[in-house]
Amino acid sequence: MYALVDCNNFYASCERVFQPKFNGKPVAILSNNDGCVISRSNEAKVVGVPMGAPAFQIKNLVKEKNIKLFSSNYPLYGDLSNRVMAILNQFTPNLEIYSIDEAFLNFDGLTISDYHNYGLQIKRRVQKWVGIPVCIGFAETKVLSKVANKIAKKFQDRTSGVYIIDTEEKRIKALKWTKIEDVWGIGYRMIKKVKLRNINTAFDFVQPQHEAWIKKEMGVVGMRLKYELEGKSVLELDPIIDQKKSITTTRSFPKQISDFDLLRERVATFASVCAEKLRKQKSCCHTIIVMLVVDKHTIQTSKYYFNMAVTLPFATNSTLTISNMAIEMLKKLHRGNENMKFKKAGVIVTELIDENQKQFQLFDEENPKHLALMQAMDKLNTKIGDTKVKLATQNLNLTWNMNQNHLSPKYTTNFNDILEIRCQ
């Protein structure tokens, strides 16, 4: 038996944990630089706050409906997510963290007589220990557990936030209720194709007459999805991978930038963050990519994305090497585009290997002093605070230089923001 545990309106719920005065009131969370809405409470959905709406477009609605806006507080959300996942791990050792607010659980090998009661136990413990409301869907397959979770969330009054698909009658009823666009694993590009074949629900999708078409158009992925919806488990929990295959650091700017010195500072900062993440997971990279993005609504040409990649003759996780190479690529990208105003930049490091597997080159190798220098930098930053020691090309006073006009305190990750409670 599988279960999908999904935190309800996770970002908004995280803000309410420490500010319960906003319980029952419309709350919306904005993306980086307070750009657009990325999370909404149920109350915000009711008053008409659209998902993905730019902040400037809902100004009047915010005032009219007294909607509370928050800037994204990712350190807080990440910490609360880790606490939720740690609690879920107490109920089964078989856990797959699917996203910051979702996890699959598998109960093979465990003796559970009443899954509904077990789900209520999970729900109550997460609510009591962390303060985050969750909904849980149980089923024989991962895809069906997704469907069950959606039902649990949609009909919380009747299900108490826990729903189990454990009979053929429940499975068929759930498939007929589930719209095809809500099926996990079917992307928006495929939706048009399946609807042209008059496949409008998950139940339509599993009908025998569509099997050949699914196999032809969607391949193995489509057939696995069909089997899962039929109650045949073919998708197992993904193993936890400690090391990432690539690391990306990108940010939108508060305002569009054309000045090279400002762009250089941003790219140097992004490159430094990538290098720090490499060292933290004990990896080195071979390839570095720099990208610049122009607001496509402000230019006449079709090209608004510029990028360049360089593969080094040696693997590295040195901030100096990665930053210097990124700046050299930035110079080439910026040359000839001096008049363009860029809204976003980013650095990607890929082709990663374990730092213990690094092969040294005889004629072309980075300065061996970099290793000791990086260790000293990381030690100092760990001791006195993140990013206190920087490169000279970085802005010593700013970390991300983002607009965060509605940012809440980092209640659980910053000593200066810990709540003070007066006991009488």
Side-chain angles (χ1 to χ4, degrees), residues 380-397:
L380 285 170
N381 281 330
T382 301
K383 183 177 181 180
I384 63 178
D386 291 344
T387 65
K388 294 297 183 183
V389 181
K390 300 183 180 182
L391 300 180
T393 50
Q394 295 178 252
N395 188 316
L396 300 179
N397 298 316

Side-chain angles (χ1 to χ4, degrees), residues 39-163:
S39 180
R40 305 162 295 165
S41 66
N42 290 333
E43 296 79 9
K45 297 174 185 177
V46 170
V47 299
V49 178
M51 189 66 168
F56 71 88
Q57 288 185 0
I58 61 171
K59 280 185 177 180
N60 294 334
L61 182 63
V62 168
K63 292 180 180 179
E64 179 185 349
K65 301 297 183 179
N66 196 26
I67 300 168
K68 177 60 180 178
L69 294 179
F70 286 98
S71 302
S72 298
N73 190 343
Y74 294 119
L76 175 66
Y77 307 153
D79 183 62
L80 293 185
S81 173
N82 291 336
R83 298 184 186 208
V84 171
M85 301 307 167
I87 293 173
L88 298 182
N89 210 19
Q90 296 174 0
F91 289 89
T92 174
N94 306 315
L95 176 71
E96 176 193 334
I97 300 175
Y98 181 66
S99 67
I100 193 172
D101 63 341
E102 289 181 281
F104 285 103
L105 283 65
N106 180 271
F107 302 98
D108 291 349
L110 301 179
T111 303
I112 301 172
S113 58
D114 187 345
Y115 279 102
H116 188 269
N117 182 59
Y118 202 64
L120 291 177
Q121 290 182 43
I122 298 172
K123 182 178 172 68
R124 283 194 292 262
R125 187 174 298 182
V126 173
Q127 179 71 58
K128 185 175 180 179
W129 290 13
V130 187
I132 300 295
V134 302
C135 285
I136 308 173
F138 289 91
E140 291 292 335
T141 71
K142 289 176 71 175
V143 175
L144 281 177
S145 71
K146 268 274 194 180
V147 175
N149 182 276
K150 189 174 289 291
I151 294 173
K153 185 173 290 187
K154 180 70 174 179
F155 306 102
Q156 292 190 51
D157 292 339
R158 281 185 272 172
T159 65
S160 300
V162 178
Y163 187 74

